[in-house]
Amino acid sequence: MIQNRDLFYIGLRSFLLQAVWNFERMQNVGFVFILKPLLKKFTNDKEGYFNALKRHLEFFNVQPYMVSIIAGLVVAYEERMKIEGVDFTKEIRTLKSTMAGPLSAIGDSFFWGTWRPFSALIIILLFYLTQYRHFILGAYYSNEYYFLILLLFIVCYNIPHLYMRFWGVFKAYHIGTKVITYVRRWHDFKVYTRIHLLALILLAAGFFVFMIVQNFNISTIFALVGLEIVFIIANYYKVSVVKLIYITTVIVFLLVLLRIIA
Amino acid sequence: MFLIISIVGALLSLDATVVGNFMISRPIVAAPIIGWILGDINTGFAIGIIFEMLWVNLIYVGAMVPINLTIFTTLVLGVNYTVPHRGDAFTMFVILIALPIVYLFKHIEILVRTWNSRMARKVDDCINNHKSACITFVMAYSITFFFLASFVYLIIVLPVTEQIAKVLYFQLPLTFIKALEASYSILPIIGFAAMFNHFFQRSLKHHKAAHNGQQH
């Protein structure tokens, strides 16, 4: 009944999941929008179709990339309801409410907590290397080069993103709840630790290149490393970035004033 | 020029929550694009990278509405480019005055989401009345509404911030300008610290979880 094309369209429609994000039922309208064409296929009459739409209008919230998995599972259940004539509405409701939390945790942790900052870090390092070659070695870079760096970030970040959007729907539809065993592979703490350690090394390299680009002398570098440690400690104790920016400006102002007075 | 960057800024800000989530709304992408439109992609990149590092932790999770970084980036770059031969001090000054201004948009975003609740209830009514086309209409309406809210905010706030920045900045004593210049060079260092903490705390957390065998 369901063709690959239908599943592909679910993946496409999932890009609009949060279009009507609201405080009451969060992504409910977006989720109904994703399922709408297929629900029409699965119901025999108008009444059944509108009842199905109504069922999916209840509270729903999940990390937007992980919706593909829930949508794939729901489609599989809805199809079974049509073919077998068994009522799975309770199972669908339970599935939506119980799987959203763990899937969101995996999605947040991998995509937003790890992959996005890591992709950004690669671009930051590349940018400061470009600056080093530009200011220190006198190399010239055209706008196209900068666009290439931008494109690298977008491609690097979105490969796993798009993979999850489409793979999730297909896999969840075909193998059902067993998909969780595959998703768990995305949540390997050892891999995360390695990525974060690599990120820390890259970050240190980025900081080093940044200091060279700024043409700091040895004593300033020591002072800046000290300052970096102070900021790290402040950040560790949850002092917000906005506060840090204002506090730094005031302190620098006082220092400049003191220097002038002295 | 404000008109073009308001349109681009509003379009890019849709990506943060409303459409796609390709992360083109992040400052690291939005700033070079706006910088390119304004004629200096290199400065756009430099500012975008600083913002990306500073707010590496800032994401929309659950019902949390943080400051909109795309709007903030557009505002800072838009105003920054209005002064020819501007220095780092002016950029820093614009950042300082744009931060409180962008908090206003946070409240607009909350209002838009509250309005979306009404839209969601409208969808309920439509379904009860057997009108399914209403879902697509509400989706399109909400996307347009968010775009317009961002666009109108930017088109109003950009010239206002520009005037405030220009009037105040040229009244500043030299001491303050020197301090602003020094503060701007410290911003990436705060950014590196924010990134370091992000990766360090997560690596600690995941290391502990892996060690305790808490795979779930």
Side-chain angles (χ1 to χ4, degrees):
Chain A
M1 188 187 281
I2 289 280
Q3 292 170 346
N4 283 346
R5 197 181 53 189
D6 299 317
L7 296 175
F8 179 74
Y9 283 142
I10 287 186
L12 279 185
R13 279 175 167 253
S14 74
F15 288 117
L16 294 174
L17 174 73
Q18 304 203 94
V20 195
W21 196 101
N22 58 85
F23 288 114
E24 282 178 14
R25 284 171 287 167
M26 297 192 170
Q27 300 162 339
N28 66 335
V29 181
F31 192 70
V32 169
F33 176 77
I34 294 173
L35 296 178
K36 202 179 130 191
L38 289 180
L39 289 177
K40 204 163 199 170
K41 269 190 175 182
F42 294 144
T43 42
N44 301 321
D45 54 350
K46 216 175 168 183
E47 198 61 44
Y49 170 57
F50 284 101
N51 279 337
L53 288 178
K54 221 185 282 181
R55 268 196 286 119
H56 288 292
L57 268 176
E58 57 195 21
F59 177 91
F60 181 70
N61 191 42
V62 72
Q63 201 272 353
Y65 305 163
M66 308 305 271
V67 72
S68 57
I69 291 167
I70 295 182
L73 289 171
V74 168
V75 166
Y77 267 119
E78 293 280 356
E79 190 184 38
R80 277 179 66 192
M81 266 165 71
K82 163 88 176 172
I83 296 167
E84 296 169 16
V86 184
D87 187 14
F88 284 119
T89 47
K90 208 175 168 184
E91 280 81 356
I92 291 172
R93 189 170 288 143
T94 313
L95 181 128
K96 277 171 72 180
S97 57
T98 53
M99 280 188 75
L103 284 176
S104 295
I106 294 171
D108 288 345
S109 191
F110 178 75
F111 287 105
W112 288 339
T114 304
W115 194 242
R116 184 185 50 77
F118 187 75
S119 309
L121 182 60
I122 292 169
I123 304 309
I124 289 164
L125 193 61
L126 266 176
F127 176 75
Y128 281 123
L129 280 173
T130 307
Q131 297 283 295
Y132 168 73
R133 285 179 59 83
H134 179 63
F135 288 113
I136 310 293
L137 305 178
Y140 172 75
Y141 290 98
S142 60
N143 281 356
E144 286 77 13
Y145 176 79
Y146 288 109
F147 273 112
L148 212 66
I149 300 183
L150 264 192
L151 201 68
L152 183 70
F153 171 77
I154 295 169
V155 171
C156 181
Y157 177 77
N158 283 301
I159 287 174
H161 161 208
L162 293 176
Y163 180 75
M164 180 53 86
R165 289 261 193 198
F166 293 98
W167 171 87
V169 184
F170 281 86
K171 203 75 182 173
Y173 171 73
H174 288 298
I175 66 169
T177 46
K178 282 179 197 158
V179 71
I180 292 301
T181 52
Y182 289 91
V183 179
R184 270 182 62 182
R185 288 181 195 166
W186 290 63
H187 203 48
D188 189 336
F189 291 122
K190 281 180 187 163
V191 176
Y192 282 1
T193 312
R194 278 175 205 150
I195 294 176
H196 289 136
L197 284 176
L198 179 65
L200 286 171
I201 294 165
L202 290 177
L203 198 65
F207 188 59
F208 185 69
V209 178
F210 162 75
M211 287 198 292
I212 294 172
V213 172
Q214 298 294 320
N215 240 339
F216 292 138
N217 56 34
I218 293 295
S219 56
T220 326
I221 286 176
F222 274 115
L224 287 178
V225 171
L227 198 63
E228 180 74 34
I229 293 167
V230 171
F231 285 136
I232 288 170
I233 293 167
N235 214 290
Y236 185 81
Y237 286 105
K238 311 269 183 230
V239 180
S240 79
V241 166
V242 177
K243 274 184 197 160
L244 273 181
I245 293 172
Y246 282 106
I247 291 167
T248 308
T249 315
V250 171
I251 291 172
V252 170
F253 174 68
L254 290 175
L255 285 175
V256 172
L257 205 67
L258 270 175
R259 202 176 157 188
I260 287 170
I261 294 166
Chain B
M1 194 52 90
F2 280 162
L3 181 75
I4 297 169
I5 59 165
S6 298
I7 293 171
V8 175
L11 279 175
L12 288 172
S13 71
L14 284 177
D15 173 73
T17 47
V18 183
V19 180
N21 304 110
F22 296 103
M23 294 298 137
I24 53 167
S25 56
R26 293 297 301 182
I28 202 167
V29 181
I33 291 174
I34 293 161
W36 174 69
I37 293 167
L38 293 164
D40 185 2
I41 193 170
N42 192 24
T43 311
F45 229 123
I47 293 177
I49 274 175
I50 293 172
F51 289 174
E52 185 67 43
M53 289 199 293
L54 286 170
W55 285 283
V56 67
N57 271 325
L58 204 82
I59 40 167
Y60 289 82
V61 177
M64 193 182 90
V65 182
I67 59 163
N68 191 313
L69 282 180
T70 323
I71 299 289
F72 180 59
T73 309
T74 314
L75 190 59
V76 169
L77 284 170
V79 175
N80 191 36
Y81 278 81
T82 55
V83 175
H85 311 298
R86 68 215 168 262
D88 291 347
F90 186 70
T91 311
M92 186 65 204
F93 187 66
V94 174
I95 292 171
L96 291 179
I97 58 168
L99 269 172
I101 293 171
V102 89
Y103 269 94
L104 179 69
F105 189 75
K106 188 176 161 174
H107 296 288
I108 294 175
E109 228 175 318
I110 291 169
L111 281 177
V112 170
R113 288 172 179 220
T114 311
W115 176 259
N116 279 348
S117 299
R118 288 179 69 175
M119 288 292 107
R121 286 196 290 271
K122 196 166 179 63
V123 170
D124 290 339
D125 296 340
C126 290
I127 302 295
N128 288 333
N129 296 326
H130 290 194
K131 289 176 191 164
S132 66
C134 174
I135 297 169
T136 314
F137 172 76
V138 165
M139 298 282 287
Y141 180 83
S142 292
I143 294 168
T144 316
F145 189 60
F146 189 88
F147 169 77
L148 285 176
S150 313
F151 171 72
V152 170
Y153 174 82
L154 278 172
I155 202 81
I156 293 170
V157 156
L158 270 166
V160 172
T161 315
E162 183 208 353
Q163 288 309 315
I164 296 172
K166 277 182 177 172
V167 168
L168 291 179
Y169 182 75
F170 293 111
Q171 308 284 330
L172 290 177
L174 196 66
T175 327
F176 205 91
I177 290 177
K178 275 185 181 171
L180 286 172
E181 217 168 68
S183 303
Y184 183 75
S185 59
I186 292 174
L187 276 189
I189 299 165
I190 304 178
F192 275 110
M195 273 209 123
F196 178 86
N197 257 305
H198 176 84
F199 287 118
F200 181 66
Q201 288 187 8
R202 278 180 180 266
S203 86
L204 266 185
K205 195 177 108 185
H206 290 132
H207 178 71
K208 271 183 198 164
H211 188 68
N212 298 335
Q214 291 175 352
Q215 299 266 15
H216 50 80

